Amino acid sequence: MAELRPTILLVEDEPEIRRFLRTSLGSEGFRVVESATGRRGSIDAATHKPDVAIVDLGLPDMDGIAVISNIRSWSPMPIIVLSARVLERGKIEAFEAGADDYVTKPFGIGELVARIRVALRHAVRLRNGERVLLLDDASIDLEKRRVLRGGAEIRLTPIEFRLVAVLARHAGRVVTHRQLLREVWGPTHENDTHYLRIYVKQLRDKLESDPANPRHFVTELGVGYRLELAE
Amino acid sequence: MAELRPTILLVEDEPEIRRFLRTSLGSEGFRVVESATGRRGSIDAATHKPDVAIVDLGLPDMDGIAVISNIRSWSPMPIIVLSARVLERGKIEAFEAGADDYVTKPFGIGELVARIRVALRHAVRLRNGERVLLLDDASIDLEKRRVLRGGAEIRLTPIEFRLVAVLARHAGRVVTHRQLLREVWGPTHENDTHYLRIYVKQLRDKLESDPANPRHFVTELGVGYRLELAE
DNA sequence: TCGAACCTTGACGGGATCTTTACGCGACGC
DNA sequence: GCGTCGCGTAAAGATCCCGTCAAGGTTCGA
């Protein structure tokens, strides 16, 4: 019969961390497949088709970024990055390569499990290719290009709409400043992160129930923004 | 007596898919007319005057795009495209040829039925079997090319009529400037957005109860126009 | 041949939208 | 404690887009 537990691929070279995660995640009800190198990780991702991949950035043979790009070239599976570096530009590179989330060592197992659960939820949503996004308070119909909030229609300007559209396409995943700017304003404005602050605020004002404490348009400090949909 | 069930023309070469859709759509209350080739499809569209046409893009004898152009040259009937290609190219071409909606294989029958219903809802069938669009104040008969308002007939010029027809086919969703210009004036006038302003105003003057505050011919700033039908 | 209906073209004003500039705040490192 | 960096906020200026009016120009039928 089919395996019911979600499968997690763990690409990590340090044996102690592997052992630690094997037992912790196992007791949380996950099935764990381990790869000690980037090369094996890329292969195991294809053969085991895990529900989530956890990739350490500090791999010996192959850069973790390469593993991410590799997986992302053929699969939309959620990828969570594990890294010791705190404010490294590796973080941004990881997101641009297609990572979904990022956990810095040392990390609490509770935090990691929570992020895995979030990633699994998103994956389910992605599979039905929903074209109507639900926020707590509002709904966004990408096809009809319409936004409703409490029954009333909200007007979005062209740029505002393009911005939600890009964020929505990567819903639940961080989109870097550069990516957003490139897709909305074009490659010539890749450095005008200022625009983002302005327009994200406008979207919050229009779509968040409490714009001062955004629950959906989440800022990832130093990296970019993430659109979190309703449960 | 007249057939009450909506008629659907299915232009599809693969027998299994035809059989699958014949039974599924039949049990949903539709009458299905089948054409195995593009050539026959173009003919059947004219003879059976279906309420909706479903066209597969991967036809053997004649490209599905050609079938769409063919139908669109003489009828505003809703056309839903069926295609295995994930590629954007075919999609865009289909829309530019005049398709109204797009479903990619493999598709759920539920999704297809929903889209058929949407396409049908745009036109209301009257007692005598005619299909007309209802605005608060006026009614538009696309087949007979007649517009009534408060019992009296309103004259639309050829271009005005083509413009409502295109908007009506996509009722409820935005149609871009480019698309409108291409379908009404032809590809050589894709940039003359000025025409649209003029003719949209004329349509508003003729069909809106308060032309200064249009409720049906809605402008989407920087994007295009949208026709909003009565509830 | 003439006129009416229709389509095209140009000009202008107002408003929505985008861009630019400025400032406050908290986190962080020195 | 101080300066820097990234972010949020606010508001003014510039720009773009749309609606409107009106004057040619063309087509078509009377």
Side-chain angles (χ1 to χ4, degrees), chain B residues 88-115:
Chain B
E88 285 295 297
R89 256 185 66 75
K91 191 170 179 174
I92 294 176
E93 282 180 13
F95 278 125
E96 291 189 343
D100 296 89
D101 210 339
Y102 197 98
V103 178
T104 48
K105 302 184 201 171
F107 55 88
I109 185 67
E111 183 187 359
L112 181 59
V113 169
R115 290 182 186 268

PDB file of all heavy atoms in Angstrom, chain B residues 88-115:
ATOM      1  N   GLU B  88       2.952  28.452 -24.042  1.00  0.00           N
ATOM      2  CA  GLU B  88       2.165  29.670 -24.094  1.00  0.00           C
ATOM      3  C   GLU B  88       1.796  30.048 -25.524  1.00  0.00           C
ATOM      4  O   GLU B  88       0.762  30.630 -25.782  1.00  0.00           O
ATOM      5  CB  GLU B  88       2.948  30.825 -23.473  1.00  0.00           C
ATOM      6  CG  GLU B  88       3.003  30.773 -21.969  1.00  0.00           C
ATOM      7  CD  GLU B  88       1.621  30.936 -21.331  1.00  0.00           C
ATOM      8  OE1 GLU B  88       1.005  31.989 -21.504  1.00  0.00           O
ATOM      9  OE2 GLU B  88       1.150  29.984 -20.685  1.00  0.00           O
ATOM     10  N   ARG B  89       2.652  29.705 -26.433  1.00  0.00           N
ATOM     11  CA  ARG B  89       2.484  30.176 -27.802  1.00  0.00           C
ATOM     12  C   ARG B  89       1.096  29.864 -28.366  1.00  0.00           C
ATOM     13  O   ARG B  89       0.379  30.739 -28.821  1.00  0.00           O
ATOM     14  CB  ARG B  89       3.544  29.563 -28.709  1.00  0.00           C
ATOM     15  CG  ARG B  89       4.650  30.490 -29.086  1.00  0.00           C
ATOM     16  CD  ARG B  89       5.577  29.809 -30.086  1.00  0.00           C
ATOM     17  NE  ARG B  89       4.918  29.562 -31.352  1.00  0.00           N
ATOM     18  CZ  ARG B  89       4.666  30.523 -32.243  1.00  0.00           C
ATOM     19  NH1 ARG B  89       4.989  31.753 -31.980  1.00  0.00           N
ATOM     20  NH2 ARG B  89       4.072  30.244 -33.389  1.00  0.00           N
ATOM     21  N   GLY B  90       0.752  28.584 -28.330  1.00  0.00           N
ATOM     22  CA  GLY B  90      -0.533  28.177 -28.879  1.00  0.00           C
ATOM     23  C   GLY B  90      -1.673  28.903 -28.190  1.00  0.00           C
ATOM     24  O   GLY B  90      -2.654  29.290 -28.820  1.00  0.00           O
ATOM     25  N   LYS B  91      -1.513  29.094 -26.908  1.00  0.00           N
ATOM     26  CA  LYS B  91      -2.537  29.763 -26.122  1.00  0.00           C
ATOM     27  C   LYS B  91      -2.777  31.180 -26.638  1.00  0.00           C
ATOM     28  O   LYS B  91      -3.903  31.579 -26.904  1.00  0.00           O
ATOM     29  CB  LYS B  91      -2.071  29.795 -24.672  1.00  0.00           C
ATOM     30  CG  LYS B  91      -3.105  30.215 -23.682  1.00  0.00           C
ATOM     31  CD  LYS B  91      -2.567  29.967 -22.277  1.00  0.00           C
ATOM     32  CE  LYS B  91      -3.559  30.393 -21.215  1.00  0.00           C
ATOM     33  NZ  LYS B  91      -3.077  30.013 -19.877  1.00  0.00           N
ATOM     34  N   ILE B  92      -1.694  31.893 -26.784  1.00  0.00           N
ATOM     35  CA  ILE B  92      -1.815  33.279 -27.242  1.00  0.00           C
ATOM     36  C   ILE B  92      -2.392  33.335 -28.644  1.00  0.00           C
ATOM     37  O   ILE B  92      -3.292  34.117 -28.939  1.00  0.00           O
ATOM     38  CB  ILE B  92      -0.445  33.971 -27.184  1.00  0.00           C
ATOM     39  CG1 ILE B  92      -0.008  34.097 -25.729  1.00  0.00           C
ATOM     40  CG2 ILE B  92      -0.505  35.326 -27.858  1.00  0.00           C
ATOM     41  CD1 ILE B  92       1.362  34.677 -25.551  1.00  0.00           C
ATOM     42  N   GLU B  93      -1.881  32.468 -29.508  1.00  0.00           N
ATOM     43  CA  GLU B  93      -2.402  32.441 -30.875  1.00  0.00           C
ATOM     44  C   GLU B  93      -3.902  32.167 -30.889  1.00  0.00           C
ATOM     45  O   GLU B  93      -4.650  32.774 -31.644  1.00  0.00           O
ATOM     46  CB  GLU B  93      -1.679  31.369 -31.694  1.00  0.00           C
ATOM     47  CG  GLU B  93      -0.303  31.793 -32.163  1.00  0.00           C
ATOM     48  CD  GLU B  93       0.364  30.686 -32.960  1.00  0.00           C
ATOM     49  OE1 GLU B  93      -0.335  29.731 -33.340  1.00  0.00           O
ATOM     50  OE2 GLU B  93       1.580  30.784 -33.187  1.00  0.00           O
ATOM     51  N   ALA B  94      -4.311  31.229 -30.028  1.00  0.00           N
ATOM     52  CA  ALA B  94      -5.731  30.892 -29.983  1.00  0.00           C
ATOM     53  C   ALA B  94      -6.558  32.089 -29.555  1.00  0.00           C
ATOM     54  O   ALA B  94      -7.588  32.409 -30.162  1.00  0.00           O
ATOM     55  CB  ALA B  94      -5.964  29.716 -29.023  1.00  0.00           C
ATOM     56  N   PHE B  95      -6.088  32.775 -28.556  1.00  0.00           N
ATOM     57  CA  PHE B  95      -6.826  33.957 -28.096  1.00  0.00           C
ATOM     58  C   PHE B  95      -6.858  35.030 -29.178  1.00  0.00           C
ATOM     59  O   PHE B  95      -7.863  35.692 -29.388  1.00  0.00           O
ATOM     60  CB  PHE B  95      -6.194  34.522 -26.827  1.00  0.00           C
ATOM     61  CG  PHE B  95      -6.640  33.803 -25.586  1.00  0.00           C
ATOM     62  CD1 PHE B  95      -5.726  33.252 -24.717  1.00  0.00           C
ATOM     63  CD2 PHE B  95      -7.986  33.674 -25.303  1.00  0.00           C
ATOM     64  CE1 PHE B  95      -6.141  32.585 -23.581  1.00  0.00           C
ATOM     65  CE2 PHE B  95      -8.411  33.005 -24.166  1.00  0.00           C
ATOM     66  CZ  PHE B  95      -7.478  32.460 -23.313  1.00  0.00           C
ATOM     67  N   GLU B  96      -5.733  35.179 -29.852  1.00  0.00           N
ATOM     68  CA  GLU B  96      -5.685  36.212 -30.882  1.00  0.00           C
ATOM     69  C   GLU B  96      -6.578  35.856 -32.057  1.00  0.00           C
ATOM     70  O   GLU B  96      -7.078  36.726 -32.750  1.00  0.00           O
ATOM     71  CB  GLU B  96      -4.242  36.429 -31.338  1.00  0.00           C
ATOM     72  CG  GLU B  96      -3.404  37.066 -30.241  1.00  0.00           C
ATOM     73  CD  GLU B  96      -2.045  37.492 -30.739  1.00  0.00           C
ATOM     74  OE1 GLU B  96      -1.647  37.016 -31.808  1.00  0.00           O
ATOM     75  OE2 GLU B  96      -1.406  38.294 -30.042  1.00  0.00           O
ATOM     76  N   ALA B  97      -6.771  34.556 -32.260  1.00  0.00           N
ATOM     77  CA  ALA B  97      -7.662  34.146 -33.341  1.00  0.00           C
ATOM     78  C   ALA B  97      -9.120  34.343 -32.945  1.00  0.00           C
ATOM     79  O   ALA B  97     -10.013  34.312 -33.786  1.00  0.00           O
ATOM     80  CB  ALA B  97      -7.415  32.685 -33.718  1.00  0.00           C
ATOM     81  N   GLY B  98      -9.358  34.555 -31.656  1.00  0.00           N
ATOM     82  CA  GLY B  98     -10.723  34.829 -31.231  1.00  0.00           C
ATOM     83  C   GLY B  98     -11.304  33.829 -30.246  1.00  0.00           C
ATOM     84  O   GLY B  98     -12.507  33.846 -29.993  1.00  0.00           O
ATOM     85  N   ALA B  99     -10.461  32.959 -29.682  1.00  0.00           N
ATOM     86  CA  ALA B  99     -10.968  32.028 -28.677  1.00  0.00           C
ATOM     87  C   ALA B  99     -11.366  32.786 -27.421  1.00  0.00           C
ATOM     88  O   ALA B  99     -10.876  33.874 -27.157  1.00  0.00           O
ATOM     89  CB  ALA B  99      -9.905  30.980 -28.341  1.00  0.00           C
ATOM     90  N   ASP B 100     -12.281  32.187 -26.665  1.00  0.00           N
ATOM     91  CA  ASP B 100     -12.761  32.850 -25.460  1.00  0.00           C
ATOM     92  C   ASP B 100     -12.133  32.285 -24.208  1.00  0.00           C
ATOM     93  O   ASP B 100     -11.934  32.987 -23.232  1.00  0.00           O
ATOM     94  CB  ASP B 100     -14.277  32.698 -25.344  1.00  0.00           C
ATOM     95  CG  ASP B 100     -14.980  33.399 -26.476  1.00  0.00           C
ATOM     96  OD1 ASP B 100     -15.189  32.754 -27.512  1.00  0.00           O
ATOM     97  OD2 ASP B 100     -15.271  34.586 -26.330  1.00  0.00           O
ATOM     98  N   ASP B 101     -11.835  31.000 -24.248  1.00  0.00           N
ATOM     99  CA  ASP B 101     -11.308  30.366 -23.057  1.00  0.00           C
ATOM    100  C   ASP B 101     -10.394  29.222 -23.464  1.00  0.00           C
ATOM    101  O   ASP B 101     -10.344  28.831 -24.630  1.00  0.00           O
ATOM    102  CB  ASP B 101     -12.443  29.852 -22.173  1.00  0.00           C
ATOM    103  CG  ASP B 101     -12.064  29.875 -20.704  1.00  0.00           C
ATOM    104  OD1 ASP B 101     -10.860  29.894 -20.422  1.00  0.00           O
ATOM    105  OD2 ASP B 101     -12.970  29.868 -19.863  1.00  0.00           O
ATOM    106  N   TYR B 102      -9.688  28.685 -22.489  1.00  0.00           N
ATOM    107  CA  TYR B 102      -8.632  27.749 -22.796  1.00  0.00           C
ATOM    108  C   TYR B 102      -8.553  26.697 -21.697  1.00  0.00           C
ATOM    109  O   TYR B 102      -8.485  27.026 -20.521  1.00  0.00           O
ATOM    110  CB  TYR B 102      -7.317  28.521 -22.868  1.00  0.00           C
ATOM    111  CG  TYR B 102      -6.178  27.809 -23.546  1.00  0.00           C
ATOM    112  CD1 TYR B 102      -5.891  28.071 -24.876  1.00  0.00           C
ATOM    113  CD2 TYR B 102      -5.398  26.900 -22.869  1.00  0.00           C
ATOM    114  CE1 TYR B 102      -4.848  27.450 -25.516  1.00  0.00           C
ATOM    115  CE2 TYR B 102      -4.346  26.255 -23.495  1.00  0.00           C
ATOM    116  CZ  TYR B 102      -4.077  26.547 -24.820  1.00  0.00           C
ATOM    117  OH  TYR B 102      -3.047  25.919 -25.461  1.00  0.00           O
ATOM    118  N   VAL B 103      -8.561  25.429 -22.058  1.00  0.00           N
ATOM    119  CA  VAL B 103      -8.418  24.349 -21.080  1.00  0.00           C
ATOM    120  C   VAL B 103      -7.305  23.430 -21.562  1.00  0.00           C
ATOM    121  O   VAL B 103      -7.313  22.987 -22.706  1.00  0.00           O
ATOM    122  CB  VAL B 103      -9.726  23.542 -20.934  1.00  0.00           C
ATOM    123  CG1 VAL B 103      -9.532  22.416 -19.948  1.00  0.00           C
ATOM    124  CG2 VAL B 103     -10.865  24.443 -20.502  1.00  0.00           C
ATOM    125  N   THR B 104      -6.345  23.139 -20.686  1.00  0.00           N
ATOM    126  CA  THR B 104      -5.241  22.279 -21.090  1.00  0.00           C
ATOM    127  C   THR B 104      -5.462  20.860 -20.607  1.00  0.00           C
ATOM    128  O   THR B 104      -5.918  20.637 -19.493  1.00  0.00           O
ATOM    129  CB  THR B 104      -3.911  22.792 -20.497  1.00  0.00           C
ATOM    130  OG1 THR B 104      -4.106  23.063 -19.111  1.00  0.00           O
ATOM    131  CG2 THR B 104      -3.459  24.054 -21.198  1.00  0.00           C
ATOM    132  N   LYS B 105      -5.127  19.907 -21.496  1.00  0.00           N
ATOM    133  CA  LYS B 105      -5.193  18.503 -21.125  1.00  0.00           C
ATOM    134  C   LYS B 105      -3.991  18.159 -20.262  1.00  0.00           C
ATOM    135  O   LYS B 105      -2.912  18.664 -20.517  1.00  0.00           O
ATOM    136  CB  LYS B 105      -5.155  17.617 -22.373  1.00  0.00           C
ATOM    137  CG  LYS B 105      -6.257  17.885 -23.381  1.00  0.00           C
ATOM    138  CD  LYS B 105      -6.129  16.849 -24.502  1.00  0.00           C
ATOM    139  CE  LYS B 105      -6.824  17.337 -25.766  1.00  0.00           C
ATOM    140  NZ  LYS B 105      -6.540  16.465 -26.918  1.00  0.00           N
ATOM    141  N   PRO B 106      -4.102  17.288 -19.302  1.00  0.00           N
ATOM    142  CA  PRO B 106      -5.359  16.648 -18.921  1.00  0.00           C
ATOM    143  C   PRO B 106      -6.217  17.603 -18.103  1.00  0.00           C
ATOM    144  O   PRO B 106      -5.723  18.355 -17.306  1.00  0.00           O
ATOM    145  CB  PRO B 106      -4.894  15.477 -18.061  1.00  0.00           C
ATOM    146  CG  PRO B 106      -3.614  15.952 -17.463  1.00  0.00           C
ATOM    147  CD  PRO B 106      -2.991  16.891 -18.460  1.00  0.00           C
ATOM    148  N   PHE B 107      -7.525  17.552 -18.329  1.00  0.00           N
ATOM    149  CA  PHE B 107      -8.409  18.476 -17.633  1.00  0.00           C
ATOM    150  C   PHE B 107      -9.463  17.685 -16.866  1.00  0.00           C
ATOM    151  O   PHE B 107      -9.795  16.553 -17.210  1.00  0.00           O
ATOM    152  CB  PHE B 107      -9.102  19.399 -18.628  1.00  0.00           C
ATOM    153  CG  PHE B 107      -9.837  18.664 -19.697  1.00  0.00           C
ATOM    154  CD1 PHE B 107     -11.158  18.276 -19.499  1.00  0.00           C
ATOM    155  CD2 PHE B 107      -9.214  18.351 -20.882  1.00  0.00           C
ATOM    156  CE1 PHE B 107     -11.839  17.588 -20.490  1.00  0.00           C
ATOM    157  CE2 PHE B 107      -9.898  17.657 -21.882  1.00  0.00           C
ATOM    158  CZ  PHE B 107     -11.205  17.272 -21.674  1.00  0.00           C
ATOM    159  N   GLY B 108      -9.952  18.286 -15.822  1.00  0.00           N
ATOM    160  CA  GLY B 108     -11.047  17.666 -15.094  1.00  0.00           C
ATOM    161  C   GLY B 108     -12.347  18.025 -15.779  1.00  0.00           C
ATOM    162  O   GLY B 108     -12.498  19.136 -16.273  1.00  0.00           O
ATOM    163  N   ILE B 109     -13.258  17.084 -15.831  1.00  0.00           N
ATOM    164  CA  ILE B 109     -14.523  17.360 -16.502  1.00  0.00           C
ATOM    165  C   ILE B 109     -15.261  18.487 -15.785  1.00  0.00           C
ATOM    166  O   ILE B 109     -15.955  19.294 -16.398  1.00  0.00           O
ATOM    167  CB  ILE B 109     -15.393  16.082 -16.567  1.00  0.00           C
ATOM    168  CG1 ILE B 109     -16.663  16.356 -17.375  1.00  0.00           C
ATOM    169  CG2 ILE B 109     -15.756  15.573 -15.181  1.00  0.00           C
ATOM    170  CD1 ILE B 109     -16.382  16.626 -18.829  1.00  0.00           C
ATOM    171  N   GLY B 110     -15.076  18.561 -14.481  1.00  0.00           N
ATOM    172  CA  GLY B 110     -15.725  19.621 -13.711  1.00  0.00           C
ATOM    173  C   GLY B 110     -15.279  20.993 -14.168  1.00  0.00           C
ATOM    174  O   GLY B 110     -16.093  21.901 -14.335  1.00  0.00           O
ATOM    175  N   GLU B 111     -13.998  21.105 -14.408  1.00  0.00           N
ATOM    176  CA  GLU B 111     -13.483  22.396 -14.855  1.00  0.00           C
ATOM    177  C   GLU B 111     -14.072  22.777 -16.204  1.00  0.00           C
ATOM    178  O   GLU B 111     -14.502  23.906 -16.423  1.00  0.00           O
ATOM    179  CB  GLU B 111     -11.956  22.336 -14.949  1.00  0.00           C
ATOM    180  CG  GLU B 111     -11.338  23.661 -15.342  1.00  0.00           C
ATOM    181  CD  GLU B 111      -9.841  23.537 -15.608  1.00  0.00           C
ATOM    182  OE1 GLU B 111      -9.304  22.428 -15.468  1.00  0.00           O
ATOM    183  OE2 GLU B 111      -9.228  24.562 -15.961  1.00  0.00           O
ATOM    184  N   LEU B 112     -14.100  21.805 -17.105  1.00  0.00           N
ATOM    185  CA  LEU B 112     -14.623  22.092 -18.436  1.00  0.00           C
ATOM    186  C   LEU B 112     -16.089  22.516 -18.374  1.00  0.00           C
ATOM    187  O   LEU B 112     -16.499  23.497 -18.995  1.00  0.00           O
ATOM    188  CB  LEU B 112     -14.461  20.863 -19.336  1.00  0.00           C
ATOM    189  CG  LEU B 112     -14.962  21.039 -20.768  1.00  0.00           C
ATOM    190  CD1 LEU B 112     -14.224  22.189 -21.448  1.00  0.00           C
ATOM    191  CD2 LEU B 112     -14.808  19.767 -21.565  1.00  0.00           C
ATOM    192  N   VAL B 113     -16.872  21.778 -17.611  1.00  0.00           N
ATOM    193  CA  VAL B 113     -18.294  22.109 -17.498  1.00  0.00           C
ATOM    194  C   VAL B 113     -18.473  23.514 -16.923  1.00  0.00           C
ATOM    195  O   VAL B 113     -19.290  24.305 -17.400  1.00  0.00           O
ATOM    196  CB  VAL B 113     -19.026  21.077 -16.616  1.00  0.00           C
ATOM    197  CG1 VAL B 113     -20.425  21.556 -16.287  1.00  0.00           C
ATOM    198  CG2 VAL B 113     -19.078  19.734 -17.325  1.00  0.00           C
ATOM    199  N   ALA B 114     -17.652  23.822 -15.919  1.00  0.00           N
ATOM    200  CA  ALA B 114     -17.749  25.154 -15.319  1.00  0.00           C
ATOM    201  C   ALA B 114     -17.487  26.231 -16.361  1.00  0.00           C
ATOM    202  O   ALA B 114     -18.202  27.235 -16.443  1.00  0.00           O
ATOM    203  CB  ALA B 114     -16.753  25.278 -14.171  1.00  0.00           C
ATOM    204  N   ARG B 115     -16.498  25.989 -17.194  1.00  0.00           N
ATOM    205  CA  ARG B 115     -16.159  27.006 -18.192  1.00  0.00           C
ATOM    206  C   ARG B 115     -17.235  27.100 -19.269  1.00  0.00           C
ATOM    207  O   ARG B 115     -17.493  28.159 -19.814  1.00  0.00           O
ATOM    208  CB  ARG B 115     -14.796  26.704 -18.804  1.00  0.00           C
ATOM    209  CG  ARG B 115     -13.677  26.925 -17.792  1.00  0.00           C
ATOM    210  CD  ARG B 115     -12.315  26.683 -18.383  1.00  0.00           C
ATOM    211  NE  ARG B 115     -11.291  26.760 -17.350  1.00  0.00           N
ATOM    212  CZ  ARG B 115     -10.631  27.880 -17.047  1.00  0.00           C
ATOM    213  NH1 ARG B 115     -10.894  28.990 -17.694  1.00  0.00           N
ATOM    214  NH2 ARG B 115      -9.714  27.875 -16.106  1.00  0.00           N
TER     215      ARG B 115
END
